[in-house]
Amino acid sequence: MQILEDSEIIALFRQRSQDAISAAQHKYGALCINMAANLTGSRQDAEECLNDALLRLWDSIPPNMPESLGGYLMTVCRRLALDCRKSKMREKRGSGQAELAFEELAGCIASPDQPEAQFDQRALQSAISAFLDQQPAEARVMFLLRYWSCLSVQEVADECGAGVSKVKMTLLRTRNKLKEHLEQEGYL
Amino acid sequence: MNEQDFFDLMSGMSERQIGEAAEWKYKHPAEQDSSSEINAILSQNPLLNPLADTKKTEPHSAAETEAVPQTPPVQSKPQSRFIRHSAVGVAAVAAAFALAIGGLAWKLRSDNPEVSDMTPGISITSTSEAVTSAPAGESLSAAESSTTAPAIGETLPAAVDPDAYSIDQTVTEPDMLTQADDSVQAGEPNFLGGTGSLRTIVNEDFYTILEDDMFWYFNGTMRISKAQRDEHGVAVSELLCQNAGCAHNDPETCLVARCSNANLFGTGDKIFQMSQTVEHNADQFTFSRLFSDGSEHDMCAFMIDRDENDVGSYTYYRSAAVIPELNAVFAELEQCRTLENGSTQSQPIQAVMRLSDNGISFLQLELNLPRERMFGVPVMQSDPESGLIWFLTDSSIMHEKNYGYYYHAKIVTVDPKTGEVVTRLENADILDWFVADGKLYYLEPDDQKLASRICCFDPDNGSESASGNLVSFSCCEGTVYGVKLVSVGKDSIIRFPLGTDLSAAETVTETNNLLASVAEVTDPNRILYLSDSGVAYLHIDGQGDIQLP
């Protein structure tokens, strides 16, 4: 199956063609599944999240017109996966990529002497987002895939066509830069 | 920090960054494509089957799966254009039929006032985002003589660098925007085959709907008669070009080819067109006004500066909105450069182009406009009182259970004469907004209860707010019309004098539609109303009764 441009897939949604679902799934399904599976700890739940997300896309386009179909689908899928995760709090969480991602990054964005709760969370979000904008595109993408999507390092490497060691090193450098940036900005 | 805080924190990443991550491997062909794996997984899932086209989504055999290329196929530009145009054409046809139903119902109801329910199944998007509704030809003296409102908050200097862009100023016609008369009068034929002047009624990225006295025209590809019916009572539709054997690819001889490539857009009473986005054979990229007799008047063109190897730059219009009351055009452009090593760079640009007796002034702005735009919520508002353009910028789309989606955004004003950008509001949560009498009115979700606040920001006197439970609103001639959320699936349309005091609000009518919103009010007795059931004009007589057309 040919991989269509986002604009072409959106056009299919707008003309209510059922091919839109399969085209979006074909292009972004694997990424969404990996993300949702790491958040929910269950491949089956991840599939349900993706299916729900695709159906929501079907319901919302039109009238919505996302400029980045992938970003839109992943955002919806992530929200569903987090909801699913909440509902399964008492269950053991699979491979634990979300916990690992959290533990890795927590050292950069939280200080025991100065709890981040003192800061406006939106300001901190903006600071991180602005920091990422200053980074090389590949490092930014790896960071997002690891800490926003909670993909494993291997999955990030697969997505980026890079080696695991390169991903690890890039993430380490980015985390260190982020910590330095947040210290300069007074968040740490 | 706990885990939930971590997730919440990361949820603040911008849509642009997330989109970049999602599309990364498709933008870099060297990476592997693992989507065949997920196809194999999901093709076995029955949940999607009802929506899937069995001819195209049946599970791949092993051979078929292996045949999926490991890198996404790189389409040639002509092929991409063909697909895009085809998709646009099909989308236009779909929109055409959808709107035709609405149009027919509208017409029928006009003829039969006893019919009073809304038309189901219509799905078109709001025109309010890119269309200004001020009367054409309005005097500019007020805007010219007014002073810029005092700056509150951060002031961002505009980057004015006209030399960075090759603008052909010789083609501009300063009076073009204020010229209200069309070349075709009522009853006279226009170039699309109908009679009377052409008007834009829907103006969106993927399609444009025009109308004249006889037809609705959809993306310049087909038309539907307002009066003719076939034997089944269905409106007669036909392709614009009826030439036998025409391949619809020559703009010189075929209306379909000409209009579908023109990117038509307009302000209601005037039609504009800009050149197709990527046409390497074009001499220039032009923004021009199109008259109903088919004549064009160039307004602003960007010249190509590339050598025979395509090394160099060019700029094209992505969208534009004409602001007649300010004698200006707001344009979103894309500047593309091809370097000698073959790599390409692309940079989005926003600019205000203002026409004056001295020609055209081009002011580049530094606006972070939202990439993802919500249904029915404007990104730009003009304000003749202050002569400023208000923009919703630096936004992310948030979600809250009771309200659905809303913007977390910054509101800035732009002076079209100087390009000065002034931040008015930051970190505002906005369900809907408009500008009237130099003041910003917006709806803010209330976190504590099923209600919203109506807020007024006066650049001179600060802010005030009051409780309310509106989900959308619009203003016309000193009266605010809003959709009031009563309960899920039950709304009422109310109106009250401009301000934040709802004590004198009166109910116009009650509805039971989901996602209802007041999209636009250009006449005190006519509301453009959107909902999950479709779009309709609501007519209100002096007593507050309502007639659904």
Side-chain angles (χ1 to χ4, degrees):
Chain A
M1 183 177 184
Q2 191 178 34
I3 294 170
L4 301 181
E5 295 287 337
D6 280 8
S7 58
E8 292 164 348
I9 300 175
I10 290 171
L12 290 172
F13 273 109
R14 293 187 68 142
Q15 71 188 65
R16 312 309 290 157
S17 166
Q18 294 166 3
D19 289 344
I21 297 284
S22 50
Q25 164 197 325
H26 181 64
K27 186 169 184 181
Y28 295 114
L31 182 56
C32 288
I33 283 279
N34 286 335
M35 173 185 68
N38 286 329
L39 288 171
T40 62
S42 160
R43 197 83 179 168
Q44 188 177 1
D45 289 341
E47 291 173 15
E48 288 182 7
C49 289
L50 174 59
N51 290 337
D52 288 348
L54 288 167
L55 287 170
R56 290 195 184 194
L57 248 65
W58 178 261
D59 290 338
S60 62
I61 305 174
N64 287 333
M65 270 290 297
E67 286 208 14
S68 169
L69 183 70
Y72 190 79
L73 177 60
M74 286 188 69
T75 302
V76 174
C77 190
R78 181 176 185 267
R79 191 178 300 133
L80 291 167
L82 287 174
D83 288 345
C84 177
R85 180 187 179 87
K86 276 184 190 173
S87 69
K88 295 177 63 182
M89 284 296 285
R90 292 182 183 176
E91 295 180 20
K92 187 177 179 181
R93 294 169 199 135
S95 59
Q97 286 303 325
E99 289 86 342
L100 287 173
F102 162 59
E103 288 170 11
E104 282 178 17
L105 198 57
C108 300
I109 55 181
S111 165
D113 301 328
Q114 201 171 23
E116 70 293 341
Q118 293 179 4
F119 297 101
D120 178 22
Q121 190 182 45
R122 282 172 180 159
L124 187 54
Q125 287 174 340
S126 298
I128 296 174
S129 185
F131 162 79
L132 289 176
D133 274 337
Q134 297 167 4
Q135 302 308 303
E138 189 178 44
R140 178 168 60 246
V141 167
M142 287 179 179
F143 187 96
L144 263 291
L145 291 174
R146 176 66 178 140
Y147 301 117
W148 188 86
S149 306
C150 292
L151 297 189
S152 70
V153 173
Q154 179 66 58
E155 288 162 343
V156 174
D158 292 342
E159 277 296 312
C160 296
V164 169
S165 58
K166 180 184 177 184
V167 173
K168 284 181 178 175
M169 186 54 67
T170 305
L171 289 173
L172 176 62
R173 287 175 178 158
T174 308
R175 287 200 305 270
N176 289 339
K177 284 185 195 172
L178 174 62
K179 186 172 184 179
E180 191 178 324
H181 174 77
L182 294 179
E183 284 173 349
Q184 288 174 353
E185 295 290 321
Y187 288 98
L188 296 179
Chain B
M1 168 174 282
N2 60 33
E3 193 178 273
Q4 188 56 47
D5 292 335
F6 166 70
F7 289 133
D8 291 342
L9 187 62
M10 296 311 293
S11 295
M13 296 303 103
S14 74
E15 292 282 337
R16 174 180 50 78
Q17 291 168 341
I18 297 164
E20 179 187 41
E23 295 175 36
W24 181 259
K25 69 178 175 181
Y26 300 108
K27 303 290 186 189
H28 297 76
E31 288 84 13
Q32 290 186 340
D33 176 15
S34 59
S35 55
S36 56
E37 174 198 346
I38 194 60
N39 268 337
I41 297 171
L42 292 180
S43 60
Q44 299 167 11
N45 191 319
L47 186 59
L48 287 175
N49 285 348
L51 287 174
D53 182 340
T54 53
K55 289 181 181 176
K56 297 190 176 179
T57 59
E58 58 191 14
H60 294 289
S61 66
E64 286 172 330
T65 304
E66 288 171 6
V68 174
Q70 289 303 296
T71 55
V74 179
Q75 296 172 345
S76 66
K77 286 191 169 67
Q79 188 181 8
S80 294
R81 284 201 300 278
F82 174 77
I83 291 172
R84 186 168 62 244
H85 294 166
S86 302
V88 167
V90 175
V93 171
F97 283 110
L99 204 78
I101 296 168
L104 287 174
W106 180 6
K107 179 69 177 174
L108 287 172
R109 287 193 178 104
S110 298
D111 298 336
N112 303 281
E114 67 276 11
V115 181
S116 61
D117 58 328
M118 286 192 65
T119 307
I122 308 169
S123 179
I124 67 169
T125 50
S126 167
T127 63
S128 61
E129 180 173 297
V131 177
T132 56
S133 57
E138 185 176 330
S139 169
L140 298 172
S141 57
E144 295 285 359
S145 61
S146 65
T147 56
T148 304
I152 295 179
E154 181 186 8
T155 300
L156 300 174
V160 182
D161 184 12
D163 293 335
Y165 309 97
S166 303
I167 306 175
D168 182 0
Q169 299 193 10
T170 61
V171 299
T172 60
E173 296 191 14
D175 294 334
M176 198 55 62
L177 279 177
T178 55
Q179 183 175 341
D181 294 336
D182 205 339
S183 54
V184 172
Q185 303 302 314
E188 294 180 354
N190 59 48
F191 82 103
L192 291 180
T195 60
S197 63
L198 291 161
R199 302 171 294 278
T200 312
I201 56 173
V202 171
N203 179 40
E204 274 292 329
D205 291 341
F206 281 90
Y207 56 86
T208 303
I209 301 176
L210 310 176
E211 70 169 344
D212 61 14
D213 299 339
M214 296 175 63
F215 300 100
W216 287 287
Y217 301 90
F218 300 93
N219 212 42
T221 55
M222 65 177 294
R223 67 186 185 190
I224 293 182
S225 171
K226 291 182 174 180
Q228 277 186 295
R229 304 286 184 273
D230 64 13
E231 63 272 21
H232 304 295
V234 177
V236 174
S237 64
E238 58 190 5
L239 204 62
L240 271 185
C241 173
Q242 297 290 311
N243 298 334
C246 180
H248 310 305
N249 57 7
D250 183 0
E252 294 296 321
T253 59
C254 174
L255 278 176
V256 171
R258 172 178 176 175
C259 297
S260 61
N261 283 313
N263 281 3
L264 299 175
F265 61 101
T267 60
D269 62 333
K270 291 191 276 294
I271 303 168
F272 299 86
Q273 65 178 1
M274 53 187 169
S275 60
Q276 184 54 280
T277 52
V278 182
E279 288 290 350
H280 287 218
N281 294 326
D283 294 322
Q284 60 187 15
F285 296 86
T286 309
F287 171 58
S288 59
R289 181 173 172 198
L290 182 65
F291 284 83
S292 296
D293 63 359
S295 61
E296 299 173 32
H297 293 262
D298 290 347
M299 297 181 66
C300 184
F302 288 89
M303 306 302 291
I304 291 178
D305 179 20
R306 294 193 294 187
D307 62 19
E308 63 277 8
N309 297 317
D310 279 351
V311 173
S313 66
Y314 65 95
T315 303
Y316 65 85
Y317 292 94
R318 292 171 59 200
S319 67
V322 183
I323 313 169
E325 65 271 27
L326 300 182
N327 205 23
V329 175
F330 172 70
E332 293 182 80
L333 309 121
E334 196 82 16
Q335 188 184 40
C336 305
R337 286 193 181 93
T338 302
L339 307 180
E340 289 187 356
N341 63 9
S343 63
T344 58
Q345 298 173 344
S346 179
Q347 176 190 4
I349 300 165
Q350 293 99 37
V352 167
M353 294 177 289
R354 189 165 176 277
L355 303 180
S356 67
D357 292 340
N358 298 324
I360 192 167
S361 64
F362 180 89
L363 296 171
Q364 186 188 348
L365 308 174
E366 290 185 350
L367 298 175
N368 184 16
L369 294 180
R371 285 169 57 85
E372 187 179 342
R373 297 184 182 178
M374 285 198 296
F375 180 50
V377 179
V379 171
M380 182 192 76
Q381 295 263 346
S382 64
D383 178 24
E385 288 291 321
S386 61
L388 301 175
I389 313 171
W390 295 64
F391 289 97
L392 184 149
T393 69
D394 283 1
S395 66
S396 55
I397 293 182
M398 314 292 281
H399 179 265
E400 204 278 334
K401 185 178 179 183
N402 294 331
Y403 298 98
Y405 293 95
Y406 60 93
Y407 279 120
H408 179 68
K410 182 164 85 174
I411 298 280
V412 303
T413 56
V414 171
D415 186 331
K417 287 182 281 190
T418 65
E420 182 185 33
V421 180
V422 178
T423 298
R424 301 295 183 175
L425 275 183
E426 286 190 288
N427 295 321
D429 290 335
I430 296 176
L431 281 166
D432 200 357
W433 67 294
F434 65 78
V435 177
D437 294 342
K439 300 173 186 174
L440 166 69
Y441 293 86
Y442 63 100
L443 297 177
E444 180 182 62
D446 188 325
D447 295 336
Q448 304 302 317
K449 53 187 177 180
L450 188 64
S452 63
R453 286 183 293 276
I454 178 170
C455 306
C456 173
F457 172 73
D458 184 341
D460 297 322
N461 299 314
S463 298
E464 61 181 40
S465 65
S467 296
N469 47 2
L470 303 180
V471 292
S472 76
F473 64 173
S474 187
C475 180
C476 180
E477 296 185 7
T479 300
V480 179
Y481 298 79
V483 172
K484 179 180 176 183
L485 183 62
V486 178
S487 61
V488 174
K490 185 179 180 184
D491 302 318
S492 60
I493 296 178
I494 63 171
R495 60 182 171 188
F496 53 93
L498 179 61
T500 58
D501 181 8
L502 275 71
S503 61
E506 57 176 327
T507 300
V508 176
T509 186
E510 292 187 344
T511 71
N512 57 356
N513 293 295
L514 295 173
L515 306 172
S517 66
V518 170
E520 193 175 35
V521 185
T522 54
D523 177 316
N525 290 318
R526 201 167 82 149
I527 300 173
L528 181 59
Y529 174 81
L530 306 171
S531 76
D532 65 323
S533 297
V535 57
Y537 278 111
L538 306 183
H539 287 269
I540 309 164
D541 69 14
Q543 302 301 313
D545 293 336
I546 193 163
Q547 295 175 0
L548 294 165

